[in-house]
């Protein structure tokens, strides 16, 4: 690994340890109405199955708070133990006190210091939430968003900056205010009795460069675990590219202990995409491995594009679907590399670099598909059942290669 991980304390979130040398955790959030127990539990299960290691849910009303224990019970009935995080704004102090079963069912509370009365003469709302965290032995994430930044703090810092001999621009003052808000809230939580290793921080903005800068500042001033993510990444390719650009820089610098891709899904879109994006970022940086990767060429005038693209998609989906079955019995299978190439130019070479690869015939090429296993030509496929035959060979390779690794591990 080419980077040094930032040192932080370790926080336990419902049995998932975050910070220190623990794996960088993938987090997600539901977009269902939490009052709807069935739909919320269903989406939590989908996110957990996709690989989300913690799932955050909105807790904004009495009905939502009353639903949380039922959601937790539904998950347990289906054998899903993913920790739930309660996302509180404005009325969290009331809901946690009024619904102790909700406070108990959640594994972590998320507090936004911009919409509790921290920093005022009395901080009863904030203090009440911290007291609940202490009572139920739960960690908290103090999450600052620039869209809901403490106005009094920002005004004071702007005024102080204006009187300075060398004033900063408004953008930098705002970023500094985000950092101060997080650190001051964490200090207040500890004054109220919350242990140092029960606190995580996040500082979220929507711009890539701003996110990088604010988290560098925050990382330099504390050893709390940091949660990374843009406030709103956006739709489609924009959301994916902005998330990857911001998180990759910080992760490569060793900053970040949990991550989320806050993608805007299309209507009725698949919420699990945000989990897969986080996994792909971590895997691309060689920080963690989750599923075998398919290398496929982009296609050109030489390729019979539809066929090889369809095959690459089928293989990638097949690998992802097999992982829940494969991972417990085939250690290391998530590191396997598969190549699906579309013509003879780079096909054989890329296939040889993969654990197992196939080079499909391009336009005007001989209608054969050589398959390479561990750099050597293994077989040549022909006909209308290449995909099915390749999947059989893929299964055989996994059984042969990773069963042997299991036996080595168990020896």
């Amino acid at each position: 690994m080419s980077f040094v991980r930032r040192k932080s304390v370790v926080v336990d979130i419902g049995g998932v340890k975050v910070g220190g040398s623990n794996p960088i955790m993938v987090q997600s959030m539901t977009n269902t109405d939490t009052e709807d127990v069935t739909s919320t539990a269903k989406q939590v299960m989908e996110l957990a199955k996709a690989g989300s290691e913690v799932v955050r849910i909105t807790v904004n009303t009495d009905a939502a708070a009353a639903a949380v224990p039922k959601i937790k019970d539904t998950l347990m009935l289906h054998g899903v133990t993913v920790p739930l995080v309660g996302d509180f704004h404005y009325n969290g102090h009331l809901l946690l006190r009024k619904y102790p079963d909700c406070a108990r069912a959640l594994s972590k509370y998320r507090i936004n210091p911009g919409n509790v009365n921290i920093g005022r003469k009395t901080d009863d709302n904030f203090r009440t939430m911290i007291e609940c965290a202490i009572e139920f032995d739960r960690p908290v994430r103090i999450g600052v968003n620039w869209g809901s930044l403490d106005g009094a703090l920002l005004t004071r810092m702007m005024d102080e900056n204006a009187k300075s001999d060398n004033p900063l621009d408004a953008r930098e003052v705002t970023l500094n205010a985000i950092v101060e808000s997080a650190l001051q809230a964490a200090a207040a939580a500890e004054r109220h009795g919350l242990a140092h290793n029960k606190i995580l921080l996040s500082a979220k903005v929507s711009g890539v460069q701003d996110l990088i800068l604010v988290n560098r500042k925050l990382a330099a001033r504390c050893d709390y675990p940091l949660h990374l993510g843009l406030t709103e990444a956006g739709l489609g390719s924009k959301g994916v590219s902005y998330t990857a650009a911001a998180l990759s820089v910080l992760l490569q610098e060793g900053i970040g202990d949990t991550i989320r891709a806050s993608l805007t899904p299309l209507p009725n879109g698949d919420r699990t995409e945000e989990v897969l994006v986080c996994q792909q970022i971590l895997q691309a940086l060689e920080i963690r491995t989750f599923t075998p990767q398919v290398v496929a060429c982009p296609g050109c005038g030489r390729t019979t594009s539809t066929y090889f693209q369809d095959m690459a998609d089928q293989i990638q989906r097949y690998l992802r679907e097999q992982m829940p079955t494969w991972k417990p019995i085939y250690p290391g299978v998530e590191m396997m590399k598969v190549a699906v190439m579309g013509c003879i130019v780079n096909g054989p070479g890329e296939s040889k670099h993969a654990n197992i690869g196939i080079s499909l015939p391009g336009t005007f090429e001989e209608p054969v598909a050589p398959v390479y296993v561990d750099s050597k030509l293994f077989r040549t496929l022909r006909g209308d059942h290449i995909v099915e035959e390749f999947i059989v060979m893929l299964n055989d390779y996994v059984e042969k290669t990773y069963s042997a690794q299991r036996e080595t591990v168990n020896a």
Side-chain angles (χ1 to χ4, degrees):
M1 208 173 280
S2 60
F3 63 93
V4 177
R5 181 92 173 269
R6 165 184 169 269
K7 291 182 179 178
S8 69
V9 298
V10 176
V11 177
D12 188 306
I13 305 173
V16 176
K17 289 188 167 37
V18 175
S21 60
N22 291 292
I24 295 169
M25 187 192 74
V26 174
Q27 180 174 312
S28 61
M29 184 175 183
T30 58
N31 62 354
T32 55
D33 184 347
T34 307
E35 297 178 15
D36 185 338
V37 173
T38 301
S39 64
T40 301
K42 179 176 181 290
Q43 191 172 84
V44 171
M45 287 189 278
E46 290 169 351
L47 291 165
K49 183 180 178 182
S52 184
E53 291 153 307
V54 167
V55 178
R56 183 157 48 114
I57 60 176
T58 297
V59 187
N60 57 338
T61 64
D62 285 76
V68 170
K70 300 173 186 175
I71 293 167
K72 183 72 175 285
D73 289 344
T74 303
L75 297 175
M76 297 298 289
L77 284 172
H78 288 84
V80 177
T81 58
V82 65
L84 295 178
V85 176
D87 193 59
F88 293 99
H89 296 275
Y90 306 109
N91 60 352
H93 59 296
L94 300 174
L95 297 177
L96 286 170
R97 277 287 180 231
K98 188 174 180 181
Y99 299 94
D101 286 345
C102 168
R104 193 176 292 109
L106 295 168
S107 296
K108 184 178 74 173
Y109 312 147
R110 188 275 178 136
I111 304 174
N112 183 340
N115 53 41
V116 291
N117 58 358
I118 189 167
R120 312 301 193 273
K121 280 190 175 180
T122 60
D123 61 355
D124 291 345
N125 298 0
F126 177 78
R127 178 173 49 78
T128 297
M129 296 186 75
I130 297 302
E131 288 173 349
C132 287
I134 295 169
E135 178 181 350
F136 294 102
D137 193 27
R138 297 294 187 263
V140 301
R141 170 160 71 91
I142 294 171
V144 182
N145 286 354
W146 73 337
S148 51
L149 182 58
D150 183 342
L153 173 65
L154 179 59
T155 299
R156 176 173 61 78
M157 291 183 66
M158 285 289 188
D159 290 343
E160 291 172 355
N161 180 67
K163 297 173 185 176
S164 170
D165 293 335
N166 298 295
L168 305 172
D169 62 32
R171 169 179 173 261
E172 184 133 10
V173 176
T174 300
L175 296 182
N176 288 341
I178 291 171
V179 172
E180 289 301 324
S181 178
L183 294 175
Q184 289 180 20
E190 291 199 46
R191 282 199 307 274
H192 293 312
L194 190 64
H196 188 74
N197 68 345
K198 292 289 186 181
I199 299 172
L200 304 91
L201 300 183
S202 67
K204 291 191 173 185
V205 294
S206 294
V208 170
Q209 295 294 349
D210 288 342
L211 189 78
I212 293 168
L213 184 56
V214 77
N215 277 281
R216 283 174 176 163
K217 290 173 178 284
L218 190 57
R221 294 185 55 189
C222 71
D223 66 350
Y224 299 111
L226 300 183
H227 170 69
L228 304 182
L230 293 163
T231 306
E232 302 96 5
L235 284 159
S237 60
K238 185 266 184 183
V240 173
S241 58
Y242 271 51
T243 299
L247 268 56
S248 294
V249 172
L250 291 166
L251 292 169
Q252 189 67 23
E253 293 179 4
I255 297 171
D257 301 283
T258 84
I259 63 173
R260 182 190 171 206
S262 298
L263 306 180
T264 304
L266 293 171
N268 301 313
D270 189 349
R271 190 69 169 181
T272 63
E273 182 185 7
E274 66 178 51
V275 179
L276 301 180
V277 168
C278 286
Q279 290 178 335
Q280 289 294 332
I281 291 170
L282 292 173
Q283 192 145 347
L285 293 172
E286 299 181 7
I287 293 173
R288 293 185 66 182
T289 52
F290 297 93
T291 188
Q293 297 295 290
V294 173
V295 176
C297 63
C300 66
R302 299 178 61 92
T303 58
T304 51
S305 1
T306 302
Y307 187 80
F308 95 86
Q309 289 171 357
D310 183 60
M311 181 172 182
D313 180 58
Q314 286 186 61
I315 297 300
Q316 183 70 79
R317 282 189 288 107
Y318 178 77
L319 292 170
R320 203 170 280 142
E321 290 164 1
Q322 289 299 111
M323 278 308 294
T325 302
W326 281 355
K327 193 166 185 178
I329 59 175
Y330 297 129
V333 69
E334 66 275 10
M335 300 178 70
M336 181 174 64
K337 185 176 174 183
V338 180
V340 180
M341 303 300 292
C343 80
I344 201 170
V345 174
N346 291 319
E350 284 285 358
S351 296
K352 289 176 184 177
H353 287 304
N355 295 102
I356 178 170
I358 184 169
S359 179
L360 296 170
T363 307
F364 303 124
E365 292 176 14
E366 186 183 353
V368 297
V371 176
Y372 295 84
V373 173
D374 293 331
S375 302
K376 297 179 181 178
L377 179 61
F378 181 74
R379 187 176 301 166
T380 300
L381 302 180
R382 295 177 173 81
D384 299 327
H385 302 287
I386 288 177
V387 176
E388 294 87 345
E389 291 177 32
F390 185 72
I391 286 177
V392 170
M393 296 171 67
L394 185 59
N395 288 332
D396 290 344
Y397 181 83
V398 169
E399 169 66 26
K400 177 183 175 182
T401 304
Y402 298 100
S403 288
Q405 290 194 21
R406 179 180 63 210
E407 291 165 7
T408 300
V409 169
N410 292 336

